Amino acid sequence: MSEQPFIRKAARFFRKLTPRARLAVCELPLTLIIAGLAIAAPTLFPAILHNWLFVTGIILHALLFLGCLLVPWERLAPSTALAIPILDLVALFFTRNGAFNTFPGLGILAVFPVIWMSASGVLSRTSLILSFVGPFVIALPPVIAHFPHPTASDISFVALLPLMMFAMAVSIRLAGSNARLQQRRLNQRDHALRQLLAASRERETLLKTILDTIDLGIVAVDSNGETLLINDQQKAFLQIATPAGRQPGAEQHERLIFGQDRHTPLPPEKGPVRRAIHGETFSDYLVWVGAGTGQRAISTTARGMKNDIDDGFAGAVIVFRDVTDVVNALAAKDELVANVSHEFGSPLTSILGNLDLVLRGPQELTPGVRRYLETAERNAGRLRALVADLLQSAAAVESVHLRPTDLAGLVENSLVSAQAQADAAHVGLVADVPAPLWADADPLRLGQALDNLVSNAIKYSPGGGLVSVRAARNNDWVRLEVRDTGMGMTTDEATRIFTRFFRTNAARQAAIPGVGLGLSITKSIVERHGGTITCHSIPGRGSTFTLALPAGPPPENAG
């Protein structure tokens, strides 16, 4: 056993004792020595038993030890206990001088009461004085007895013993003061830590109360995917996603989590928490949880956390928001728009057909009438284009049919279709897409999204320029980028560009045709694929639209 653990155990044992037992333990070493001397005296030194000073000293030591055990010290002031070492000095005066001729060195036993008084930390000034005076009085009788011719040993003992005891008392006092200072500092630190711990617990309770009050599900995970925090709302979402008869802590692949079509199970690696653990940051990632009438639409957002050492990935916080009512309202609105747009389509076709027959018929029209009819035809055409965009917007929210699709072929077809528009606008088209590049996609819908992006890139580059399409696979994702060198937009406009009917100030001032539905349609299509689309733009230097789509394996019959 090492020294430090032994000392700590002894200190703990001593603190557990009663005040009487503590005093008895402190008095025990001196008592044992005196008891041994008293037991050996009848056999080895019978003459000293006839010395009343020695016998008085032995009796006083015995009475002091009994007093340690019998006196109710716990009822008295702490300083009262110093009576024992002070009376020890008195008893040693009798014992040492009664046995001086036999045991001249017994005065050194004064070290025990001196240590006791010095280490007690009570009545420091009195203890220091007694540490000198007591040993001096004990050592003085032989000098007086041999006066006026004391021996050298008598003089040296009476000079050295009190000085030694006083020096030892000062050293113990200084060491004790330093120890008490350290203990006081430790107590202050312990108090401060306890206050910090209490404040931390209060903040933790407050945070938990807040998190359990809001109607958002919140999960915090570390870099290994272990859950650090989860609130009550998220537990409710997990309960909805858990099949009947299973515990809420079921594995990801056992939970009822579906893609945006509400029927296709979401692969575990595409779950919001798993994506966040892999370091992805995303917003408004929509999934459906549960089944039947209790199925809910959940919009998820994830942000990563960095550690303080090297800014490395330390985990993530994922927020889940129930948007079922919003999704259902949007679906009802889109259905209404689709129905109304469809009802507008037939009369518009009839109007345009009749206007065309009149304008291009054999009858002669006056210039004024022709101008009015051409204006009506032009506005009816714009109205039909708007109806077509509204129908596309409504169709974009319908289910997509995913299958292995070569994106390289879709990009090639999109650029071929846009070549005439690019030539008319003096815009160059460039593609850098590895072939084949497979992804899980609906080629019809994704082709529509690509056409919108390429067409917009050409349309908003009125002074000519270059439109480039690049794509590459990154782990389980395919990233497709459409970049132009056109007019660009501000950061605020780039964040709102996917909002329906939104158009930039520059586009309106340049009188570029459009109603602001193309990019909202594109965003809906991409999200239906379980992907994301972002925009980065600088005014006057062009825009870059980046699509992230889940990668897929090639079909079995792919060469």
Side-chain angles (χ1 to χ4, degrees):
M1 181 182 295
S2 62
E3 183 177 357
Q4 292 297 329
F6 176 78
I7 293 175
R8 286 196 294 268
K9 288 183 178 180
R12 285 197 296 269
F13 171 77
F14 188 78
R15 285 194 295 269
K16 292 179 180 179
L17 297 176
T18 63
R20 301 186 193 188
R22 290 180 189 176
L23 291 179
V25 169
C26 293
E27 181 71 4
L28 186 61
L30 179 60
T31 301
L32 289 176
I33 294 174
I34 298 299
L37 182 62
I39 292 171
T43 304
L44 301 177
F45 314 103
I48 64 173
L49 293 178
H50 300 290
N51 189 306
W52 70 273
L53 290 174
F54 178 78
V55 174
T56 302
I58 295 296
I59 294 173
L60 285 176
H61 284 297
L63 292 175
L64 287 173
F65 186 73
L66 289 174
C68 291
L69 297 174
L70 299 178
V71 174
W73 301 101
E74 61 275 4
R75 301 178 185 176
L76 305 176
S79 58
T80 310
L82 283 184
I84 298 296
I86 293 173
L87 292 175
D88 277 336
L89 291 174
V90 175
L92 282 173
F93 173 82
F94 288 99
T95 306
R96 186 258 180 182
N97 292 296
F100 176 75
N101 294 325
T102 308
F103 302 109
L106 283 181
I108 199 70
L109 294 179
V111 68
F112 292 105
V114 168
I115 291 176
W116 186 342
M117 289 188 297
S118 303
S120 67
V122 181
L123 302 177
S124 58
R125 210 175 275 178
T126 303
S127 298
L128 288 175
I129 294 172
L130 291 175
S131 297
F132 180 86
V133 173
F136 178 77
V137 172
I138 291 173
L140 187 62
V143 176
I144 297 174
H146 295 150
F147 191 81
H149 303 291
T151 64
S153 63
D154 293 338
I155 295 173
S156 62
F157 196 76
V158 79
L160 290 178
L161 181 64
L163 289 175
M164 289 172 55
M165 295 297 110
F166 181 77
M168 184 176 63
V170 171
S171 299
I172 293 174
R173 177 65 60 180
L174 292 176
S177 298
N178 183 62
R180 284 190 292 273
L181 177 61
Q182 295 296 330
Q183 184 64 40
R184 190 157 50 247
R185 289 176 178 174
L186 288 175
N187 291 338
Q188 290 174 349
R189 292 178 183 175
D190 180 68
H191 180 67
L193 287 175
R194 290 179 183 276
Q195 287 183 324
L196 289 175
L197 180 61
S200 176
R201 286 175 176 170
E202 288 179 3
R203 288 193 293 268
E204 182 181 359
T205 302
L206 176 61
L207 176 62
K208 186 177 186 306
T209 302
I210 293 173
L211 293 180
D212 289 339
T213 301
I214 61 178
D215 59 354
L216 299 176
I218 298 178
V219 176
V221 294
D222 61 17
S223 56
N224 297 320
E226 297 294 330
T227 301
L228 302 176
L229 179 147
I230 182 170
N231 68 343
D232 288 346
Q233 181 60 61
Q234 181 58 21
K235 292 178 183 177
F237 287 153
L238 290 177
Q239 184 67 48
I240 296 173
T242 302
R246 297 293 183 90
Q247 294 297 323
E251 295 295 329
Q252 170 74 21
H253 66 275
E254 298 178 342
R255 295 175 185 160
L256 302 175
I257 303 179
F258 305 95
Q260 295 194 26
D261 63 358
R262 307 180 64 167
H263 303 293
T264 304
L266 197 68
E269 64 274 7
K270 295 179 183 178
V273 176
R274 188 72 61 85
R275 288 181 60 185
I277 293 172
H278 291 162
E280 292 188 53
T281 297
F282 52 86
S283 299
D284 297 326
Y285 179 52
L286 187 68
V287 297
W288 287 83
V289 300
T293 57
Q295 193 176 46
R296 310 298 294 177
I298 307 296
S299 176
T300 63
T301 300
R303 293 292 182 272
M305 299 184 294
K306 295 183 179 180
N307 58 43
D308 297 332
I309 300 175
D310 57 0
D311 285 340
F313 180 71
V317 176
I318 308 97
V319 178
F320 297 74
R321 181 164 57 96
D322 189 338
V323 293
T324 307
D325 294 338
V326 176
V327 170
N328 290 338
L330 289 174
K333 183 195 70 172
D334 289 328
E335 183 179 358
L336 175 63
V337 170
N339 292 334
V340 172
S341 300
H342 183 269
E343 294 300 323
F344 280 169
S346 298
L348 280 173
T349 301
S350 176
I351 292 171
L352 286 169
N354 284 284
L355 287 173
D356 184 68
L357 289 175
V358 173
L359 286 171
R360 292 160 183 78
Q363 67 277 12
E364 290 292 334
L365 299 174
T366 63
V369 172
R370 178 173 293 277
R371 186 169 63 253
Y372 294 146
L373 292 174
E374 288 175 347
T375 301
E377 183 184 41
R378 184 166 57 252
N379 285 292
R382 290 181 61 188
L383 184 57
R384 185 170 64 176
L386 175 59
V387 169
D389 284 340
L390 289 172
L391 285 172
Q392 282 189 347
S393 176
V397 301
E398 296 176 359
S399 300
V400 296
H401 304 286
L402 302 179
R403 62 176 183 269
T405 302
D406 181 13
L407 295 187
L410 289 182
V411 172
E412 181 181 0
N413 292 337
S414 182
L415 294 184
V416 169
S417 300
Q419 189 63 56
Q421 180 188 3
D423 291 341
H426 305 291
V427 173
L429 298 178
V430 176
D432 180 12
V433 180
L437 182 61
W438 298 99
D440 284 330
D442 183 327
L444 178 63
R445 295 296 183 198
L446 193 57
Q448 179 185 352
L450 273 174
D451 289 342
N452 284 341
L453 291 176
V454 174
S455 175
N456 272 3
I458 297 171
K459 184 166 60 174
Y460 293 103
S461 300
L466 181 68
V467 173
S468 57
V469 181
R470 294 183 175 86
R473 178 165 181 158
N474 182 10
N475 295 328
D476 296 330
W477 293 86
V478 172
R479 300 193 181 277
L480 191 148
E481 177 182 283
V482 179
R483 177 180 299 176
D484 65 66
T485 57
M487 62 177 60
M489 66 190 89
T490 65
T491 302
D492 179 63
E493 290 173 334
T495 60
R496 301 170 57 195
I497 195 63
F498 299 106
T499 305
R500 290 184 179 184
F501 304 107
F502 176 78
R503 304 197 69 211
T504 65
N505 292 329
R508 289 197 297 269
Q509 291 172 3
I512 297 175
V515 293
L517 284 172
L519 289 177
S520 67
I521 294 171
T522 300
K523 184 174 185 291
S524 297
I525 293 173
V526 172
E527 289 180 345
R528 282 290 175 179
H529 283 76
T532 59
I533 182 170
T534 58
C535 174
H536 175 72
S537 185
I538 300 175
R541 298 178 60 180
S543 303
T544 301
F545 289 85
T546 304
L547 282 70
L549 299 169
E556 296 180 0
N557 58 355

